[in-house]
Amino acid sequence: MIVKIFDPKVLSEPVYDALSQLRQKYDKALASNIINKEQRDSHLKEQKNQAVELYTYLATWGLMRLKAEEFALNKKNLNSNSCIKERVETSQYGKLEVVREFFECLKKLIPDSENKLELRNLAKMDVDEYLGIMGLGLAIAQEFSFWATAIYYDIKGDE
């Protein structure tokens, strides 16, 4: 099982799919005149920057802080059912979407992890399990960084 999890294709596919789908939502909203180009580009820039910075954040602060950051970013308690216009008008919502997708990708790769990745459960985890999930998280974060550059090729990140 471990060999399969660390197969680069197994890590790449859910990350590529997640970032592609995030981007497509906002490209479609632009094409339908729900949002304007400036709103879309600003939102996609937030997504790209967060995806590129995930590895550094995770390596520096760990999974528990990233999970806590998810709560902090969700200031207005928006969810995936919120309208696109409301999401682009909410500061840092693009970052929140990427963090949520990161944890979704992690859940897909860890058997029976639905509740394991909740903040309370991360805190109660034994060191070996936490470090194992951190290692997998770092590998996934690297994929986010790589695919963000490819998927958001036309969006300038922070210089």
Side-chain angles (χ1 to χ4, degrees):
M1 181 75 168
I2 297 292
V3 173
K4 196 171 192 174
I5 286 179
F6 284 101
D7 173 353
K9 296 180 301 292
V10 172
L11 296 177
S12 290
E13 191 175 341
V15 173
Y16 173 81
D17 290 345
L19 290 177
S20 292
Q21 289 169 11
L22 276 178
R23 176 165 185 153
Q24 287 171 5
K25 287 179 195 176
Y26 295 94
D27 287 342
K28 286 178 183 176
L30 175 63
S32 301
N33 293 319
I34 296 169
I35 59 176
N36 63 41
K37 186 174 179 349
E38 185 180 318
Q39 288 174 311
R40 186 214 55 176
D41 289 356
S42 174
H43 193 77
L44 293 182
K45 182 179 178 179
E46 279 185 1
Q47 289 178 351
K48 179 180 183 176
N49 288 340
Q50 183 65 39
V52 168
E53 295 166 4
L54 263 177
Y55 182 86
T56 303
Y57 189 100
L58 195 56
T60 304
W61 299 107
L63 275 172
M64 287 180 57
R65 292 225 180 154
L66 184 59
K67 193 64 175 176
E69 182 76 5
E70 181 182 2
F71 293 123
L73 287 170
N74 196 11
K75 296 174 198 142
K76 292 191 174 183
N77 292 318
L78 294 177
N79 58 44
S80 56
N81 296 325
S82 302
C83 75
I84 293 248
K85 185 127 177 84
E86 190 176 3
R87 285 185 250 161
V88 297
E89 291 172 349
T90 301
S91 175
Q92 297 191 324
Y93 193 78
K95 290 181 176 187
L96 175 61
E97 289 173 312
V98 171
V99 171
R100 282 180 175 165
E101 289 301 328
F102 168 81
F103 281 107
E104 286 303 312
C105 288
L106 197 53
K107 282 180 194 175
K108 288 176 186 173
L109 296 170
I110 300 172
D112 303 320
S113 64
E114 188 60 38
N115 294 319
K116 256 185 201 174
L117 299 175
E118 294 302 320
L119 191 55
R120 267 184 247 134
N121 295 333
L122 287 169
K124 293 176 186 176
M125 227 175 247
D126 70 42
V127 174
D128 290 338
E129 186 175 17
Y130 182 81
L131 290 176
I133 292 174
M134 267 290 295
L136 182 57
L138 288 167
I140 292 169
Q142 278 184 310
E143 293 296 322
F144 267 85
S145 183
F146 172 79
W147 286 112
T149 305
I151 292 167
Y152 299 94
Y153 64 91
D154 58 334
I155 304 296
K156 292 269 190 228
D158 286 336
E159 304 299 323

